[in-house]
Amino acid sequence: MATTDLHFVSGALAPVKRGMRFLGGNVDDGVQVDAAAVSIVAGNHTTGTFMADICVPDAANTYTFMGFGDANAVEYVTFSVEEGSIHVMMVKAGPTTQIDVNTPEDSIIPHKIHNVAIVQDGNVMKIYIDGKNQALTWTVSTRREQWFDDLNNIDGAHIGAADSVAGSGALTNEFKGYIANVRLWSDTTSTAALTAEQVNQAMSGTLISTADLHNSWNLDQNIFDEGTGEDDGTIIGDLIYSDFNEFSSRLTFLETTPLAADNVNIMCHDGIGYAYSILSA
């Protein structure tokens, strides 16, 4: 046996979240929440906040954790992890890019649970990671106040995939990793745009601005919507309800595959999980 035949991983067992595991790849997996998109667009919402807990296994790819789109027009919104940064695209039919903006490189660390909040107050978009307002790089800032008020064609949405970015109804940039506690405050009033203090409170689990909480999917063994929109999701593809932490992320998304299911050995000590797998005989 060579030294490369043994794969060893370790990672912290805390903090831990309960949510949903997405395997990634060109598999058309996601949680379909079309009614949420239809309602927000019909309401001409101008302000809002999107929030979710996410964990990705690498910083080399693009993984969309929330996507809105239309099958018959190139009009879409994507909230993604792009090579270790949070990336927001908002494109109006034409197509005309209204917003293309990123947080700093390496602001998202692989295998670490991050809370992401994207806030539109009607003047300019802000992005918070783990409660901290991020410096932004604007590639396109045609309409920095963009939300959903004039994206009249959008009628579809998915948690965990980009929805119809080419106007074809296809899912792309499927998410790889874990997503939990997806919440969307959206309205035409200023209270839908959470303040920095409210972002930190909501991140910690406090109920904030419930009148403007249009959608809330915790993805903890269910896809029920606890927001005012009451848009229960539909699972598309192979998604798995799961607890997640750094260790489970490292173990689940191993770059190599053991020869057999019974040759992965798992143990823990002092809050750290350890595992090794035999890769060849």
Side-chain angles (χ1 to χ4, degrees), residues 13-279:
L13 299 175
V16 65
K17 296 283 185 179
R18 295 176 62 87
M20 185 170 281
R21 184 172 75 189
F22 296 74
L23 299 178
N26 187 22
V27 290
D28 291 342
D29 289 354
V31 179
Q32 186 177 23
V33 289
D34 290 353
V38 171
S39 178
I40 289 169
V41 169
N44 292 314
H45 290 187
T46 55
T47 58
T49 303
F50 173 90
M51 181 178 286
D53 296 317
I54 64 171
C55 179
V56 294
D58 64 74
N61 296 285
T62 297
Y63 302 126
T64 297
F65 48 88
M66 190 74 203
F68 304 82
D70 178 76
N72 301 307
V74 182
E75 182 169 281
Y76 62 90
V77 173
T78 56
F79 302 152
S80 308
V81 178
E82 182 185 65
E83 297 181 354
S85 75
I86 297 299
H87 178 224
V88 174
M89 279 280 288
M90 305 190 83
V91 177
K92 185 175 171 59
T96 302
T97 301
Q98 305 285 68
I99 285 179
D100 182 351
V101 64
N102 286 78
T103 62
E105 185 178 352
D106 298 326
S107 51
I108 297 295
I109 300 171
H111 305 296
K112 180 180 178 180
I113 299 172
H114 289 285
N115 177 271
V116 176
I118 299 165
V119 179
Q120 177 55 263
D121 64 6
N123 294 302
V124 66
M125 182 169 286
K126 299 176 182 178
I127 301 177
Y128 296 81
I129 298 177
D130 300 328
K132 297 179 180 179
N133 192 8
Q134 302 292 300
L136 300 180
T137 298
W138 293 85
T139 302
V140 178
S141 58
T142 302
R143 192 165 180 255
R144 294 192 182 204
E145 72 278 13
Q146 180 72 56
W147 197 235
F148 288 90
D149 51 307
D150 63 346
L151 301 179
N152 301 316
N153 294 289
I154 287 179
D155 59 7
H158 280 77
I159 301 169
D163 190 318
S164 305
V165 296
S168 62
L171 301 184
T172 54
N173 290 338
E174 288 92 331
F175 193 82
K176 185 177 182 180
Y178 302 86
I179 303 176
N181 302 315
V182 178
R183 286 167 284 177
L184 182 57
W185 294 262
S186 193
D187 209 329
T188 57
T189 60
S190 60
T191 52
L194 301 190
T195 65
E197 181 180 2
Q198 288 176 319
V199 166
N200 278 272
Q201 291 173 336
M203 179 181 70
S204 301
T206 302
L207 292 176
I208 295 294
S209 192
T210 53
D212 298 314
L213 185 58
H214 195 272
N215 305 102
S216 179
W217 305 276
N218 61 30
L219 305 184
D220 180 8
Q221 304 299 315
N222 71 77
I223 47 175
F224 300 141
D225 179 10
E226 297 175 339
T228 61
E230 299 182 344
D231 177 25
D232 296 342
T234 300
I235 292 178
I236 307 297
D238 298 320
L239 303 177
I240 303 168
Y241 293 117
S242 176
D243 292 0
F244 61 99
N245 52 30
E246 179 191 358
F247 177 63
S248 66
S249 176
R250 292 185 184 278
L251 183 61
T252 301
F253 297 103
L254 278 170
E255 304 239 344
T256 51
T257 304
L259 284 182
D262 61 356
N263 63 6
V264 177
N265 299 270
I266 303 173
M267 63 217 78
C268 64
H269 179 67
D270 287 343
I272 303 295
Y274 302 93
Y276 66 88
S277 58
I278 300 172
L279 305 182

